[in-house]
Amino acid sequence: MALIVNIEKTLGDFHLKVNFTAEREVMALLGASGCGKSMTLGCIAGIVRPDKGHIELNGRVLFDSEKKIDLPPQKRKVGCLFQQYALFPHMTVEQNIRAGAHTRPKNERESIVICGAYGRGNAGDDAILEAIVQEMRQLDPERTICVMSRRPKETRLIYRTNAIYTFNVFSVLRKFRHAALYINGGGSLMQDVTSTRSIWYYCYTLYAAKKRGCKVMMYGCGIGPINRPGNRRMAARTIDASVDRITLRDDNSRALLAEMGVTRPDIRVSADPTIILTPAPREIVNIALEQSGIDPNGKYIGFGLRNWKGLDTALPEIAAAANYAYEKHGLTPVFVPIEFPSDLMPAERVGALLHCPWHAVRTRQPIEVTIGILSRMKTVVGIRLHSLMFSAGQGVPVVGMSYDIKVDGFLKYIGSRTCLQLSSVKAEPLCRLIDECVSGALDNEVHRTAEMLRERESENVKGAAKLLNISEN
């Protein structure tokens, strides 16, 4: 009678390789945060599929890549208790038990379907999902949540929700038939910069959800850019006819909807849902920094870069500003990727131009750890929108290098003066903005901004509560 596990699983640049046999004894897996403990248990339980290998329990094969055996979780007879609290903190023990035992009438619409750019390895999008799921569970812990994700198995494991593949249209339509609320967002789904197909698909989901009886909400989102006239007309027509409530993360998005002629939905300006997320405990962040070769007690300037048109000409200017921050203020540059591992490429390119010490966070980190790392920076210079949002939410002064209207919109919304256009960024004005941030002159303003964002974010959950007919406490 034994558990035999010999598997491999790759996720981004993280490679899990596990080989052990457990007899009748109690066995514990010990290791640092992010080393693969939960993923190993998920593979055994059938929630995560290994890339290759063999799992056997009491002589019964649960998974074998060569023999193409992969039993579904319900047939493995394996229990998996997640490391996160699986209890609702605002309930008593008795209420938690009753919540699990509660059943709704068979024909009642009770579920919530959430759609976004999830399951692609972008920390910003993953943070949005975590925040929305957290808020929906606080609103009504008894409701079923289903997420449309590019990697549904991983989404089930990480967020403890149901999940379906984003573009499995038939599964999506089945979920809509039983859902009370369809949440589209957050992020910038309504744009045609990346592709026209995506905006048409997301608009179709709005139409399909409404047609099948769901309340429809666009949640803490950004709108645009929508450049093609045909896309604008289609999006305006669909949003006006299908959406009940829209909460927006910036004023530019509201102006764009007005320009497009969208008037029927209840539209409110709120904030990005990620503002509610809190950093990991200090000890956990210290471990993550040390694993990246970064002294937790050092003085740092953070950079959140991404590949984009115009970056090539900006790289020497960014490097000159990073060297300046080290020489003038004693701040060592730290590059913090938001989309992993693609954001490491511009970090390496800037690093090659530096004459001072620098660090990069080279392993994928949980969202709360990424927020915790950014919270340790004296200031953060960002192209990535969520590097700016995560930092501003923790009261860290930010300097934006804008490549998109969404970056301009966020910085304008928080009243920031520290923004440059990526296409024309120069070292001298960038250094001046770094000086202003490091001087402490913006500290009070930055902390007021963080409080303002948290207060306005409550519009998101208020909107969902209204659509679900849940009274606000």
Side-chain angles (χ1 to χ4, degrees):
M1 303 291 283
L3 170 64
I4 302 171
V5 178
N6 184 5
I7 56 172
E8 294 185 33
K9 172 73 176 176
T10 298
L11 186 62
D13 74 334
F14 174 74
H15 184 68
L16 175 70
K17 188 173 183 179
V18 180
N19 187 356
F20 67 83
T21 299
E23 300 290 346
R24 291 182 175 273
E25 74 272 17
V26 174
M27 181 177 182
L29 302 179
L30 301 178
S33 176
C35 73
K37 302 183 296 296
S38 295
M39 187 177 290
T40 300
L41 297 178
C43 289
I44 296 170
I47 304 170
V48 176
R49 189 182 191 280
D51 295 331
K52 62 180 180 179
H54 178 90
I55 302 174
E56 183 179 320
L57 178 62
N58 296 337
R60 183 167 173 252
V61 177
L62 307 182
F63 175 83
D64 192 296
S65 55
E66 292 185 359
K67 297 178 181 178
K68 300 188 183 304
I69 297 173
D70 185 13
L71 295 185
Q74 62 270 28
K75 292 186 178 180
R76 297 195 180 199
K77 297 184 178 179
V78 173
C80 186
L81 180 63
F82 295 95
Q83 65 185 20
Q84 299 98 333
Y85 294 127
L87 298 176
F88 304 114
H90 61 292
M91 289 184 175
T92 65
V93 173
E94 180 181 357
Q95 288 170 332
N96 268 279
I97 294 171
R98 288 186 181 278
H102 178 74
T103 57
R104 295 176 184 267
K106 185 176 181 180
N107 296 324
E108 181 182 351
R109 289 178 174 268
E110 61 87 26
S111 64
I112 299 171
V113 178
I114 304 173
C115 174
Y118 308 131
R120 301 193 311 172
N122 182 292
D125 293 322
D126 292 343
I128 290 170
L129 176 57
E130 181 164 327
I132 295 176
V133 168
Q134 193 177 116
E135 290 188 315
M136 291 305 100
R137 283 181 171 147
Q138 290 172 355
L139 197 59
D140 186 349
E142 297 176 6
R143 288 188 184 270
T144 303
I145 296 174
C146 180
V147 178
M148 295 165 60
S149 169
R150 303 290 181 92
R151 296 173 180 166
K153 279 194 174 182
E154 291 173 12
T155 298
R156 291 186 201 109
L157 174 66
I158 296 170
Y159 301 100
R160 309 192 314 278
T161 64
N162 292 335
I164 54 177
Y165 181 58
T166 303
F167 301 110
N168 186 334
V169 177
F170 297 108
S171 293
V172 170
L173 296 180
R174 280 195 296 271
K175 291 296 181 183
F176 285 163
R177 291 191 187 99
H178 304 287
L181 176 64
Y182 171 53
I183 291 178
N184 179 276
S188 299
L189 301 182
M190 292 298 151
Q191 52 82 24
D192 62 3
V193 175
T194 53
S195 77
T196 289
R197 285 182 300 175
S198 63
I199 189 172
W200 278 78
Y201 181 71
Y202 290 128
C203 282
Y204 170 72
T205 65
L206 298 176
Y207 162 80
K210 190 67 177 177
K211 186 175 179 62
R212 283 156 183 78
C214 301
K215 295 291 185 179
V216 179
M217 180 175 181
M218 295 170 67
Y219 195 101
C221 59
I223 307 294
I226 306 177
N227 296 318
R228 296 174 176 84
N231 291 345
R232 279 199 172 205
R233 288 192 297 270
M234 179 275 300
R237 189 166 56 247
T238 305
I239 293 170
D240 223 29
S242 304
V243 180
D244 298 290
R245 192 175 182 109
I246 304 173
T247 52
L248 301 167
R249 66 187 184 189
D250 58 69
D251 293 310
N252 283 2
S253 295
R254 184 166 196 164
L256 180 55
L257 285 180
E259 181 184 318
M260 292 165 58
V262 175
T263 58
R264 195 195 68 81
D266 184 352
I267 302 174
R268 309 290 177 93
V269 178
S270 57
D272 193 273
T274 61
I275 294 300
I276 72 164
L277 299 178
T278 55
R282 186 174 184 82
E283 297 77 11
I284 300 298
V285 177
N286 286 350
I287 291 172
L289 289 169
E290 289 169 350
Q291 289 175 340
S292 297
I294 304 171
D295 181 359
N297 299 312
K299 294 172 59 180
Y300 303 108
I301 178 172
F303 288 87
L305 306 182
R306 66 164 295 167
N307 285 312
W308 197 258
K309 292 176 291 186
L311 181 63
D312 289 349
T313 56
L315 287 176
E317 310 298 329
I318 297 170
N323 281 321
Y324 171 83
Y326 180 78
E327 294 164 5
K328 176 76 179 292
H329 301 290
L331 301 176
T332 303
V334 174
F335 297 91
V336 184
I338 299 298
E339 185 165 297
F340 196 89
S342 62
D343 289 356
L344 288 176
M345 185 181 297
E348 295 288 352
R349 294 179 67 191
V350 173
L353 300 174
L354 295 179
H355 308 304
C356 65
W358 62 278
H359 303 284
V361 180
R362 300 181 184 280
T363 55
R364 187 192 302 274
Q365 299 293 336
I367 295 158
E368 294 84 354
V369 174
T370 297
I371 295 173
I373 291 172
L374 289 169
S375 73
R376 301 286 185 90
M377 305 294 115
K378 186 69 175 174
T379 186
V380 171
V381 179
I383 301 175
R384 280 282 182 195
L385 176 62
H386 276 95
S387 70
L388 303 173
M389 285 186 170
F390 291 164
S391 304
Q394 297 305 308
V396 176
V398 296
V399 177
M401 292 182 290
S402 179
Y403 68 97
D404 187 280
I405 189 174
K406 64 186 180 183
V407 178
D408 292 293
F410 172 70
L411 292 170
K412 179 182 177 183
Y413 185 52
I414 66 174
S416 173
R417 306 181 301 275
T418 54
C419 183
L420 301 170
Q421 294 303 307
L422 179 62
S423 58
S424 58
V425 67
K426 297 295 181 184
E428 186 177 345
L430 188 52
C431 291
R432 285 200 302 269
L433 293 179
I434 290 172
D435 285 339
E436 188 174 7
C437 289
V438 173
S439 70
L442 301 179
D443 286 359
N444 290 335
E445 178 183 323
V446 168
H447 288 293
R448 283 196 300 272
T449 295
E451 292 174 7
M452 176 270 290
L453 289 172
R454 283 190 283 271
E455 181 180 337
R456 291 187 181 179
E457 197 281 333
S458 64
E459 280 293 338
N460 295 326
V461 73
K462 287 178 183 177
K466 183 175 180 179
L467 295 180
L468 290 169
N469 295 317
I470 298 173
S471 59
E472 298 173 30
N473 296 324

